[in-house]
Amino acid sequence: MITPEPDVERAAGIITRGLAAVIDLFVVLLIMGALYGGLVLVRLVYSPTAFSLPSLNAVFSTVVTFVIAVLYLTGCWTVSGSTAGAATMGLRVVGRRSQRVRLLVGLLRSICCVLFPVGLLWVVLDRQRRSLQDIVFRTRVIYLRGAR
């Protein structure tokens, strides 16, 4: 059996990337819950006698969730290359030359990932284990060195 060289960056597969995406979804939901809890506390502090829970608007909640998810993914990918899910699974998003993803690329990639998460399934069909977003934005998701 041939083992890969230790310096070769291995592309992450669908299972690892899928688990990382699920962890990231929970992180975004946790952030949303914290924002809602903060809103409740602010309303309680400013009008304790007339307090009621804020009503949820589906359109507003969807837009806020979209914005939070895009900001979370963009920030993580451009600063460190890893979201909480990616770090847990030992992954990093890199550009063409294994460098950190630039801000514009990270922003556009995150918008596409949030709007079209099914693009991740292309990893199963692609020989180089790239999602549709990886192909379009010339990025790769690799295992961190030393991770197996």
Side-chain angles (χ1 to χ4, degrees):
M1 176 153 90
I2 299 172
T3 58
E5 297 176 24
D7 290 332
V8 174
E9 296 174 335
R10 290 187 326 135
I14 186 67
I15 301 296
T16 311
R17 290 176 71 163
L19 289 172
V22 169
I23 293 169
D24 290 334
L25 174 64
F26 282 120
V27 169
V28 169
L29 293 176
L30 185 67
I31 293 169
M32 292 297 298
L35 288 175
Y36 183 76
L39 177 62
V40 168
L41 288 176
V42 167
R43 286 185 72 168
L44 180 62
V45 167
Y46 283 109
S47 62
T49 55
F51 175 74
S52 64
L53 289 174
S55 61
L56 296 176
N57 180 333
V59 173
F60 180 74
S61 295
T62 302
V63 169
V64 170
T65 303
F66 174 80
V67 169
I68 295 297
V70 167
L71 290 176
Y72 166 72
L73 293 173
T74 303
C76 290
W77 288 338
T78 56
V79 171
S80 69
S82 294
T83 60
T88 302
M89 300 308 295
L91 305 175
R92 176 173 289 145
V93 177
V94 294
R96 285 179 272 176
R97 296 178 198 97
S98 298
Q99 80 281 16
R100 258 189 266 155
V101 177
R102 294 182 312 170
L103 180 61
L104 182 60
V105 172
L107 176 65
L108 294 174
R109 186 179 192 274
S110 66
I111 290 170
C112 289
C113 286
V114 172
L115 288 177
F116 191 66
V118 178
L120 178 62
L121 294 177
W122 193 258
V123 171
V124 175
L125 303 174
D126 190 72
R127 288 182 149 193
Q128 297 173 0
R129 295 181 172 178
R130 297 174 300 174
S131 68
L132 291 178
Q133 290 86 353
D134 290 330
I135 293 169
V136 170
F137 296 107
R138 296 180 181 175
T139 57
R140 296 178 296 140
V141 178
I142 58 170
Y143 289 103
L144 295 174
R145 293 179 190 223
R148 294 198 177 207

